[in-house]
Amino acid sequence: MSQSTEDTIKEAAKRVFLEKGYHGATTRDIAKEAGINRALVNYYFRSKENLFAIVFTEMAELYFQKVFSVLQQPISFFDKLDFLLEEEIRVHFKEPQLTTFLIDQSRQPDSSLEKLLTPAFNLLVANYRRLLAEQIQKAVDEGEIISIPPDQLLLLMSSVKYLFSSKKIFTDVCNQSGSSFEELVRNHKTLLLSVLRSHLSK
């Protein structure tokens, strides 16, 4: 089945936004990337702001759909952490510019991500934090782990995504072993899980 014009625009917009940021991207850039007339971008999405919100909300929905499903599975807490880290790695290998984009966007004084993204996106993030807190408490109640604030756990786990935003440093400066970048990421994930297991296990 051929891709619809609307989906073609959204895919092109995602690439342009990740490369140039919200402020650097224009509907002209997006139309050129999609290989269509600029008027079609405005016809389907009305504005750059609306297109941005739709694209990144849909990305979040796909990500959180998998995350919510696994967090509620009857598996160990550490197996859930393993999946969460693996999903972060998968997303960032697919979209390696994502973390850099988010950091750059958060530095813009006049258009924070909260203003640009939809209530649906913000609700997904809130639900993720709530569900993670519930799973932590469940694991504590069952004697699997000691208590840890959800935001602190998320901060520890976020070190995976910063490997991608600092890829050149890790591969060109810090990588004395000559490992491939994927090896570095996988080794970091293994070490991080080991540290979390050692720190959190009762």
Side-chain angles (χ1 to χ4, degrees):
M1 181 183 297
S2 61
Q3 191 175 44
S4 70
T5 300
E6 188 173 351
D7 287 338
T8 298
I9 294 170
K10 286 191 290 188
E11 284 299 316
K14 180 172 68 174
R15 293 192 295 270
V16 173
F17 283 134
L18 288 174
E19 179 184 350
K20 298 187 175 184
Y22 175 78
H23 286 286
T26 66
T27 54
R28 189 182 302 278
D29 295 329
I30 294 167
K32 182 178 179 181
E33 179 72 18
I36 60 171
N37 189 290
R38 182 183 177 188
L40 283 173
V41 177
N42 294 324
Y43 172 77
Y44 280 100
F45 296 100
R46 301 192 305 279
S47 68
K48 181 178 78 168
E49 180 176 316
N50 188 52
L51 177 54
F52 179 91
I54 290 171
V55 166
F56 284 93
T57 298
E58 288 185 359
M59 285 178 64
E61 286 172 346
L62 287 173
Y63 170 77
F64 284 119
Q65 184 179 34
K66 293 182 180 179
V67 166
F68 291 163
S69 174
V70 169
L71 282 177
Q72 297 177 84
Q73 293 295 315
I75 57 178
S76 76
F77 183 74
F78 292 108
D79 283 343
K80 294 174 184 179
L81 291 187
D82 191 342
F83 173 85
L84 294 179
L85 289 171
E86 191 61 37
E87 189 62 10
E88 285 282 355
I89 290 170
R90 184 194 68 78
V91 168
H92 281 81
F93 268 120
K94 183 179 179 183
E95 309 290 356
Q97 298 166 297
L98 182 58
T99 294
T100 301
F101 164 80
L102 292 172
I103 293 171
D104 290 345
Q105 188 59 52
S106 68
R107 291 173 177 163
Q108 300 295 332
D110 58 341
S111 63
S112 69
L113 286 171
E114 285 187 0
K115 292 178 181 177
L116 288 170
L117 294 168
T118 64
F121 179 95
N122 294 321
L123 181 61
L124 285 168
V125 174
N127 284 339
Y128 176 45
R129 295 176 68 189
R130 175 187 57 77
L131 185 56
L132 183 62
E134 290 175 358
Q135 295 304 305
I136 290 172
Q137 189 58 53
K138 181 175 181 292
V140 170
D141 293 343
E142 293 176 352
E144 187 177 3
I145 64 170
I146 63 173
S147 184
I148 182 173
D151 287 346
Q152 190 64 50
L153 180 59
L154 288 173
L155 281 172
L156 290 168
M157 294 171 63
S158 70
S159 64
V160 167
K161 58 172 63 76
Y162 290 110
L163 288 173
F164 290 85
S165 62
S166 305
K167 179 178 178 180
K168 190 167 182 60
I169 294 174
F170 284 108
T171 54
D172 293 354
V173 179
C174 303
N175 184 18
Q176 299 299 314
S177 65
S179 301
S180 70
F181 181 65
E182 183 167 359
E183 286 180 291
L184 289 173
V185 172
R186 297 295 175 189
N187 289 339
H188 178 73
K189 176 200 161 186
T190 299
L191 177 60
L192 181 56
L193 275 173
S194 177
V195 170
L196 288 171
R197 188 182 293 274
S198 177
H199 175 72
L200 295 176
S201 294
K202 276 193 171 180

